[in-house]
Amino acid sequence: MRTLGNILWLVFGGLLMAAAYAIAGLVMFLLIITIPFGIQAFKLAGLALWPFGRTVVRDQKGGCLEVGANIVWLVLFGWELFLGHLLAGALLCLTIIGIPFGIQAFKLSVLALWPFGRQVLSADEASAGGYETFLAVPSDPATR
């Protein structure tokens, strides 16, 4: 089911979204000083390309510059990306068929808002490693 969801996501906008993040990452790499932001754009591109079966987790080895970089990201890029993914997720959730895709948009919104200090892992790796996941939707109370 994950593969089918990823293929549908890819065809109906995921490829375009991933390409946009990758192009933004390349531009940030060309500007040299913004290379750390380019790395985060490529992280977003990877999740936008194949989101089903993957989750966003907190990186265990966050550094002291993580908060500062996230604040700069938030002011320059993050809030627009966050609101865009949030709006797309809300619109997708209006139909029953779109709910899984809306959840993926919410997952992208969390990473787009605060990307430094986050990792994108497969759901199996995250559950095996005991990571705390960050989703913009309520978690299942049965799993707590």
Side-chain angles (χ1 to χ4, degrees), residues 73-90:
W73 175 275
L74 178 69
V75 170
L76 296 178
F77 319 106
W79 68 273
E80 299 102 337
L81 295 172
F82 175 74
L83 290 177
H85 287 298
L86 216 56
L87 179 65

Side-chain angles (χ1 to χ4, degrees), residues 17 21 53 83 140-141 144:
M17 189 184 325
Y21 278 126
L83 290 177
D140 184 15
R144 294 209 175 238

Side-chain angles (χ1 to χ4, degrees), residues 33-91:
I33 197 167
T34 56
I35 287 176
F37 298 106
I39 292 169
Q40 302 311 312
F42 283 120
K43 187 187 301 183
L44 280 159
L47 184 61
L49 192 60
W50 208 254
F52 286 90
R54 298 169 78 191
T55 188
V56 179
V57 298
R58 178 133 172 65
D59 194 355
Q60 302 294 342
K61 54 182 190 254
C64 61
L65 297 176
E66 177 183 313
V67 173
N70 273 322
I71 290 172
V72 171
W73 175 275
L74 178 69
V75 170
L76 296 178
F77 319 106
W79 68 273
E80 299 102 337
L81 295 172
F82 175 74
L83 290 177
H85 287 298
L86 216 56
L87 179 65
L91 290 174

